[in-house]
Amino acid sequence: MNKNWKIDLIDLSLNDIKKDIFLRMDYIEKLKKYTNTKQIIVIQWQRRCGKSHVILWLLKSLKISHEKIFYINKEKDELGSLKSTKDLSKLFEDFCAQRWIPEWIIIDEIQDIKDWEIFIRSKYSDWKFKIIISGSNSHLLNGEFATYLSGRYIPFFVYPFGYDEYKSIIDSKNIQNRYPNLFEQYMHLWWMPESILINDPEIQQDYSRAILNTVVIKDILERKEVKVRSVSLLLQVLEYLADITWSIVSTANITTALNIQNNDSISNITIWNYIKYLQDAYIIHEVKRYNIMWKTIFQNKNKYYFNDIWIRNSRKYSFILDRWKILENIVFLHLKRLWYDVFVGDLWNKEIDFVAKKWDNIEYIQVAWSINSEKVMDREFGNLLSIKDWYPKHVVSFDWLWITNHEWISYRNIETFLENFK
């Protein structure tokens, strides 16, 4: 091992690009735009979403030479040589001395370096570098980034595969479809990159359990400030949220239900903390209610959607009973992938499934499994017709019936909606 082995490790990490991996071009192109700012880019993700490859392919697509990149992937530091900000600063000095001052500083899995924020803040203050960092959910969450990097960073969230990505990888890998159509397979199965390539149901199930254990155990239980009285109770909270994916709920409702189920006296604050832990690990998303009339946000009784359907399905699953809940969750995730802020709409006690906001644009969306009766049509379209503004309004269902215009409301099959709604 020569004296420059740590710098050699940087080159090895930069070359660790798997040529056969599916390129998430939407993220790569979006990340390119983010790099035009002077802010630190903080990449956030649920485990196994292909975050590292998004970073590497960004650099490859920008055609940046290695000499201009100070790149650390802490997962590649098998000897644990970078333990503190002092070690990191020394390696940076060596890099500059051996080569020259880089243009990019990129540190993947930065949480394992003690006092990393001192190094990052000092380099940010120089205004010379483009800085990208990422940190594992188990040690470094959104709130901590805000504490360490206040006013200096932009969050960039990487989601599991959308349906368009799923279709592309299924086609390119010639993977067998085990369900009546590809969209149903997408609803049944999980969307992590590795799991899609496993075509054996039993192995897929084992893989899903392993990832769930990693997410729950590593991203929640290992955190020092987390106080979980029982893993079983945490999973019960997860199962309850899976069951009520479609409905507005309060912490008090969940506490009451679990106390009855367990013949226990669990407190509201305990359940609230457990839900917060699940949010911090990016397992679930809280969606607040939005008063359409007064343009205000309610602070209680929200909805919860899952970041990845396979986690939801692994804890609570019956396709016949759950399919419309899953459909609603898919629409929610599609909106988030398109960088919308998403709320549940409330107007005169009528619920609008989603109010999607991006800058000064608003889109209203209702989701139903099937528009199979006048009653369902009246409910889904009627709620939207109650909104007296000119923002676009949509009804989405699994049906292939096509209504291009119903009193200025578009009606689309889910696959058509996912393909065309941008």
Side-chain angles (χ1 to χ4, degrees), residues 43 45 47-48 51-52 55 71-76 82 106-113 116 132-140 145 219:
I43 298 185
W45 78 105
R47 286 184 182 274
R48 315 315 301 164
K51 165 264 311 171
S52 295
I55 295 173
Y71 174 69
I72 303 295
N73 184 344
K74 197 63 177 66
E75 286 188 335
K76 303 293 182 184
L82 297 174
I106 302 172
I107 306 180
D108 208 350
E109 303 290 352
I110 198 171
Q111 77 284 343
D112 292 329
I113 302 173
W116 60 267
I132 301 175
I133 63 175
S134 75
S136 169
N137 309 340
S138 60
H139 299 280
L140 198 59
F145 280 125
D219 291 355

Side-chain angles (χ1 to χ4, degrees), residues 260-301:
I260 292 172
Q261 181 177 328
N262 295 310
N263 191 25
D264 204 343
S265 55
I266 308 162
S267 68
N268 277 349
I269 191 65
T270 295
I271 299 303
W272 185 89
N273 284 334
Y274 282 19
I275 292 173
K276 184 67 167 58
Y277 300 155
L278 293 168
Q279 286 178 260
D280 285 344
Y282 306 122
I283 297 172
I284 60 171
H285 298 276
E286 180 183 70
V287 183
K288 294 187 177 296
R289 289 186 300 142
Y290 176 82
N291 187 301
I292 295 172
M293 181 69 180
W294 302 110
K295 308 294 187 289
T296 56
I297 297 173
F298 293 97
Q299 296 303 315
N300 59 0
K301 291 189 176 180

Side-chain angles (χ1 to χ4, degrees), residues 29 45 168 202 207 220 222 227 256 287 345 358 362 374:
E29 292 301 319
W45 78 105
S168 294
E202 185 176 348
Y207 177 81
I220 297 179
E222 286 189 357
K227 297 178 181 178
T256 299
V287 183
K358 187 189 294 186
I362 295 176
E374 288 294 327

Side-chain angles (χ1 to χ4, degrees), residues 18-25 48-50 53 160-177 182 185-186 189-199 204:
K18 295 179 175 60
K19 295 182 179 179
D20 62 343
I21 196 166
F22 178 79
L23 292 185
R24 307 195 70 182
M25 290 307 303
R48 315 315 301 164
C49 287
H53 291 291
F161 284 153
Y163 183 53
D164 57 338
E165 295 176 305
Y166 184 81
K167 283 197 302 181
S168 294
I169 198 168
I170 291 293
D171 292 342
S172 64
K173 301 297 182 182
N174 196 27
I175 296 173
Q176 179 184 358
N177 182 13
L182 189 59
Q185 178 163 292
Y186 179 69
L189 301 180
W190 22 89
W191 312 339
M192 293 295 181
E194 291 96 335
S195 67
I196 292 175
L197 300 178
I198 301 171
N199 208 28
Q204 275 184 330

